[in-house]
Amino acid sequence: MKAILIIADGLGGRPSDMDGKTCLEAAHTPNLDELARRGAVGLIDPIKPGVRPGSDTAHLSLLGYDPYQVYTGRGVFECLGIGMNVEPGDVCFRANFATVEETPDGLKLVDRRAGRIDAGQDDLAAALAEIALSDGVKFAFKASTQHRGALRMYGGELSRAVTETDPHKAGVHISTARAITNDDAARRTAAAMNEFTRKSYEVLKDHPVNKARIAAGKPPANIVLIRGAADLPHLTPIDRLYGVHGAVVAGAALYRGVALACGMTRIDAPGATGAVDTDLVSKANTAIQALEQLDYVFIHVKGTDNRGHDKDAPGKKKFIERIDAELIGTLMGKLDWNQTHLAFTGDHTTPIDYGDHTAEPVPILYVGPNVRTDAVAEFGERAAGRGGLGRWSGRALPILFNYNNWLPKFGS
Ligand code: ZN
Ligand code: ZN
């Protein structure tokens, strides 16, 4: 038996999205409707009712973990997701190139994203490697897309109980990282963060990439601000829990990182971008190929959430229609439906009016030979409320695995 879990980020919506319908309800989705007809639907609270999910915590919950137990912060997923190695005891951060200016009383933030820099980041990252930190703290920095990057600190006792150097708004001085707990590891980590941030400015301010940016009238990427301190989540990986091996196909680093932390292998689909321009047929074909070797695949698509944050209802509807035609359509034609169970859902609701995540449950469908079918023959929020699966919280992946008889028994 094989299994596929598909999560469309921010899939859920509200009636205010499109004249009384959610974007999903308004979208033309013949393939998802057909899978709903062949399978069963329900509503899932990604974490639990009345909790507004972050994408990282929602994914941990959907993959079968209790985020209140295992979540340590976002930085570690960013590091893992862009291909950095992370060891127990390391502390990881989200990082961004930013623009600061010198003032008599310190460095003031001008642009938190350094004009969304889109070239030269690897040269800047190479320059950062020259920085030496005090007290035996070592680090690795890697640039990812635009102004984004990730920083891993290691060597000796470190702690994620620290604040950050990113003030989150322009026009104010950069923040001083502080220890949240009263111990040497947190104080040592905060000191290393402040030293790294200050030295990043010294190394970057006169870098040729920035001289060229200034000459072209662009804001220089003259500092690295860090936030989201996290260490590896304390969890038992999926392969140890269930004895099956799987892969993640995701264009966006955060989701690869969550899946890697849970024990999946990373497989990159050509043309997968983690944005609305992604190649959804390629993702489907990559998953089908991966299933020849592996037990299950987790496919993540991000464009639905991006369009929700953009407050772009026609764009979100159109992206859902692309998921239906290109991703689901390709899978429908090529999967062996006698040997496969598939689940399709979202990780939270991202309504158009609000432009951010909200706590409503999201529709979920399961299809495959062992699914007890229901009477619903369409896929949408309100249709899912009439489905045979009812409403529950999290654990979408273990529920999928149950259909394949992969769950260990609790008790005797
Ligand atoms: Zn999300
Ligand atoms: Zn979002």
Side-chain angles (χ1 to χ4, degrees):
M1 287 290 238
K2 304 288 183 182
I4 296 188
L5 170 67
I6 303 168
I7 297 179
D9 212 282
L11 175 70
R14 285 178 172 168
S16 54
D17 288 352
M18 300 193 97
D19 287 331
K21 288 186 172 181
T22 70
C23 292
L24 176 60
E25 289 168 343
H28 179 61
T29 56
N31 291 320
L32 286 167
D33 294 344
E34 171 64 12
L35 291 184
R37 191 188 67 76
R38 289 189 212 167
V41 296
L43 286 171
I44 186 165
D45 291 280
I47 295 175
K48 58 185 180 180
V51 174
R52 276 184 67 207
S55 284
D56 45 11
T57 49
H59 274 74
L60 286 169
S61 180
L62 294 170
L63 295 178
Y65 298 96
D66 177 353
Y68 293 97
Q69 296 290 326
V70 305
Y71 183 63
T72 57
R74 179 157 169 168
V76 65
F77 302 129
E78 295 288 340
C79 278
L80 289 167
I82 63 173
M84 298 173 80
N85 180 45
V86 182
E87 301 287 340
D90 298 353
V91 175
C92 300
F93 303 88
R94 304 174 73 189
N96 48 296
F97 289 111
T99 307
V100 290
E101 64 183 13
E102 285 184 48
T103 70
D105 47 350
L107 294 172
K108 199 163 96 179
L109 184 59
V110 176
D111 183 341
R112 205 168 155 255
R113 299 182 177 90
R116 291 193 182 269
I117 179 171
D118 58 4
Q121 300 98 315
D122 287 342
D123 292 338
L124 298 175
L128 291 170
E130 297 161 15
I131 293 173
L133 298 177
S134 314
D135 202 15
V137 179
K138 298 185 172 52
F139 74 93
F141 175 87
K142 193 168 176 187
S144 56
T145 54
Q146 293 185 327
H147 52 282
R148 303 178 193 93
L151 177 76
R152 165 191 168 226
M153 283 188 179
Y154 59 102
E157 287 282 304
L158 296 165
S159 168
R160 67 181 160 91
V162 287
T163 63
E164 53 193 53
T165 65
D166 185 345
H168 289 269
K169 59 173 189 271
V172 301
H173 289 98
I174 63 163
S175 305
T176 301
R178 296 183 204 286
I180 294 170
T181 53
N182 183 21
D183 57 81
D184 288 342
R187 281 189 288 271
R188 181 170 178 262
T189 308
M193 292 169 67
N194 293 324
E195 186 181 18
F196 175 83
T197 301
R198 180 167 42 79
K199 288 187 171 174
S200 75
Y201 176 70
E202 288 161 16
V203 165
L204 297 178
K205 64 178 178 178
D206 296 320
H207 191 281
V209 168
N210 281 328
K211 285 187 169 165
R213 286 183 69 80
I214 292 165
K218 295 175 181 169
N222 59 9
I223 199 165
V224 175
L225 300 175
I226 51 178
R227 65 192 198 279
D231 50 13
L232 279 176
H234 310 285
L235 54 79
T236 307
I238 290 167
D239 44 351
R240 284 239 305 279
L241 283 173
Y242 309 105
V244 292
H245 301 282
V248 55
V249 177
L254 174 65
Y255 308 93
R256 288 197 300 266
V258 172
L260 288 165
C262 297
M264 294 183 211
T265 304
R266 166 182 175 174
I267 299 182
D268 291 342
T273 62
V276 288
D277 61 351
T278 197
D279 187 338
L280 293 165
V281 174
S282 168
K283 286 173 107 162
N285 284 325
T286 301
I288 290 162
Q289 209 175 3
L291 283 177
E292 288 172 16
Q293 309 292 332
L294 296 166
D295 300 303
Y296 73 96
V297 173
F298 159 46
I299 303 173
H300 179 267
V301 289
K302 182 68 182 163
T304 27
D305 189 51
N306 292 354
R307 287 303 190 220
H309 285 284
D310 293 344
K311 303 189 173 189
D312 176 356
K316 185 170 174 182
K317 172 172 170 277
K318 192 172 161 212
F319 191 77
I320 291 168
E321 289 174 344
R322 278 193 57 213
I323 291 172
D324 187 83
E326 297 167 27
L327 179 64
I328 303 298
T330 303
L331 292 172
M332 279 179 80
K334 294 188 178 177
L335 289 175
D336 177 356
W337 287 100
N338 295 316
Q339 297 291 327
T340 307
H341 287 96
L342 178 147
F344 181 87
T345 189
D347 64 336
H348 47 77
T349 293
T350 308
I352 300 300
D353 272 359
Y354 189 55
D356 204 345
H357 310 176
T358 61
E360 289 95 332
V362 288
I364 185 164
L365 79 79
Y366 288 91
V367 60
N370 292 334
V371 175
R372 300 195 289 236
T373 56
D374 60 17
V376 177
E378 61 180 299
F379 189 68
E381 287 86 342
R382 280 169 279 198
R386 301 190 299 272
L389 298 176
R391 174 173 172 174
W392 74 93
S393 300
R395 301 190 63 80
L397 187 70
I399 291 166
L400 177 65
F401 283 0
N402 172 65
Y403 291 119
N404 282 13
N405 302 328
W406 291 346
L407 294 189
K409 192 190 287 180
F410 174 54
S412 67

